[in-house]
């Protein structure tokens, strides 16, 4: 396939490299990044010229909307705009409408798996859009990832992503505060892990990504909380979940509390640039009335 790829940062560059290595004809564009070994165009419109599929991997919904307005008129009729960024549901649905008006097909397919998954071609894609759009880009999901789930119409990929990450943020906080309570009750962290990881408190946060150093499988906690999945990105996703909850009138008190905690951690404490599991030392350093 002829593929235009816009947004070649931490995630986009390795994803584009995997598509090119698999034999696709990839032309990239980025306002800042200049990744080695990839054919680059001078403008976004030039990158999408004649492409069967255009992939975007951008920071947020406003940038996505601006890029879509720029590239849709330059895309070939019937081409697919596959957006893999994490953005708000409303932007994903607006871009799908713009695409339809321009005679194009849109698929929103945010990812989980992070930079390691992008480099290794092991991402999970959560896709929204038509059956036909999903079928067209499925071979590309197979190269860039290990699993793709079609979640329904436009915007549903983003909906799935933020619901998943809202659960993740809440369970990570719950796991971290439980470890600190266990510490203060004199319960050994290894014993805590051995019980919870095989009992009804188990979760991905405890079993696969244990926030306590030296306990459970290797995780960012064993590397001084170097990300991994940065607290800043968790805050972004929790904010998107609360924007969506507000728009849909959904009652999400735990998601709201998790957003407020990560906001404090990232913006007013030492959470910026640390892994999201660094909530554990944050709680450990405070007493009950620390505010
Ligand atoms: P990044 O900041 O490294 O990359 C974004 C790229 O977009 C940058 O290179 C930037 O120059 C480029 N860009 C910005 N505006 C542009 C424009 N108008 N035209 C062309 N290029 C433009 O971010 P990233 O870590 O690669 O993340 C990309 C997306 O993937 C985000 O939506 C993020 O939330 C999501 N995501 C990231 C991770 C992760 O672990 N990094 C995991 C899952 C999802």
């Amino acid at each position: 396939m002829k593929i235009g790829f816009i947004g070649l940062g931490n995630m986009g560059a390795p994803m584009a490299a995997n598509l090119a290595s698999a034999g696709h004809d990839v032309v990239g564009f980025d306002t800042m990044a200049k990744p080695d070994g990839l054919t680059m165009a001078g403008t976004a419109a030039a990158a999408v010229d004649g492409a069967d599929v255009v992939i975007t991997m951008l920071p947020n919904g406003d940038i996505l909307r601006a890029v879509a307005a720029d590239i849709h008129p330059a895309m070939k009729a019937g081409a697919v705009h596959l957006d893999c960024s994490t953005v708000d549901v409303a932007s994903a649905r607006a871009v799908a409408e713009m695409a339809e008006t321009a005679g194009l097909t849109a698929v929103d397919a945010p990812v989980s798996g992070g930079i390691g998954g992008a480099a290794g071609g092991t991402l999970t894609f959560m896709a929204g859009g038509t059956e036909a759009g999903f079928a067209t880009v499925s071979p590309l999901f197979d190269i860039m990832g290990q699993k793709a789930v079609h979640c329904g119409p436009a915007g549903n990929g983003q909906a799935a992503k933020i619901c998943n990450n809202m659960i993740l943020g809440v369970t990570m906080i719950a796991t971290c505060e439980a470890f600190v309570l266990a510490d203060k009750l004199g319960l050994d962290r290894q014993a805590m892990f051995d019980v919870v990881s095989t009992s009804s408190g188990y979760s991905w946060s405890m079993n696969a990504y244990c926030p306590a150093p030296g306990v459970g499988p290797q995780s960012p906690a064993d590397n001084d909380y170097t990300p991994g999945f940065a607290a800043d990105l968790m805050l972004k996703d929790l904010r998107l979940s609360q924007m969506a909850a507000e728009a849909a009138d959904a009652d999400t008190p735990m998601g709201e509390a998790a957003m407020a905690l990560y906001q404090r951690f990232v913006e007013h404490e030492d959470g910026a640039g640390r892994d999201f599991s660094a909530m554990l030392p944050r709680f450990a350093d405070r007493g009950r009335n620390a505010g």
Side-chain angles (χ1 to χ4, degrees), residues 6-12 29-33 57-59 63 67 84-86 111 114-115 161 233 236:
I6 301 180
L8 297 157
N10 291 319
M11 296 291 289
F29 175 75
D30 192 295
T31 44
M32 307 267 286
M57 195 54 171
L58 296 162
I63 293 175
V67 167
C84 296
S85 327
T86 303
V111 303
I115 298 165
K161 163 102 188 179
L233 284 175
K236 173 187 173 177

Side-chain angles (χ1 to χ4, degrees), residues 175-240:
T175 304
C176 291
E177 67 181 28
F179 263 118
V180 171
L181 175 60
D183 288 345
K184 296 201 171 183
L185 297 175
L187 173 60
D188 178 67
R189 286 183 172 183
Q190 184 64 51
M192 164 86 171
F193 175 84
D194 291 345
V195 171
V196 175
S197 66
T198 55
S199 300
S200 46
Y202 84 90
S203 69
W204 187 86
S205 296
M206 176 61 89
N207 291 38
Y209 204 94
C210 181
V215 177
Q218 274 284 321
S219 71
D222 300 307
N223 191 22
D224 203 21
Y225 297 99
T226 303
F229 184 42
D232 318 53
L233 284 175
M234 175 49 83
L235 174 58
K236 173 187 173 177
D237 293 353
L238 287 167
R239 280 192 168 125
L240 292 176

Side-chain angles (χ1 to χ4, degrees), residues 259-274:
M259 183 191 74
L261 262 170
Y262 274 105
Q263 181 169 354
R264 217 155 84 188
F265 187 46
V266 168
E267 294 181 354
H268 303 292
E269 298 168 357
D270 64 347
R274 302 186 81 195

Side-chain angles (χ1 to χ4, degrees), residues 6 44 56 58 62-73 81 98:
I6 301 180
T56 46
L58 296 162
D62 288 343
I63 293 175
L64 170 66
R65 287 178 195 238
V67 167
D70 189 19
I71 61 174
H72 285 180
H81 177 183
M98 289 164 67

Side-chain angles (χ1 to χ4, degrees), residues 6-84:
I6 301 180
L8 297 157
N10 291 319
M11 296 291 289
M15 291 163 72
N18 284 338
L19 292 171
S21 303
H24 291 291
D25 175 10
V26 182
V27 179
F29 175 75
D30 192 295
T31 44
M32 307 267 286
K34 301 268 172 285
D36 290 338
L38 202 70
T39 308
M40 298 290 280
T43 63
V48 307
D49 187 34
D52 306 299
V53 175
V54 172
I55 303 177
T56 46
M57 195 54 171
L58 296 162
N60 61 50
D62 288 343
I63 293 175
L64 170 66
R65 287 178 195 238
V67 167
D70 189 19
I71 61 174
H72 285 180
M75 285 171 64
K76 118 177 154 185
V80 178
H81 177 183
L82 169 61
D83 178 52
C84 296

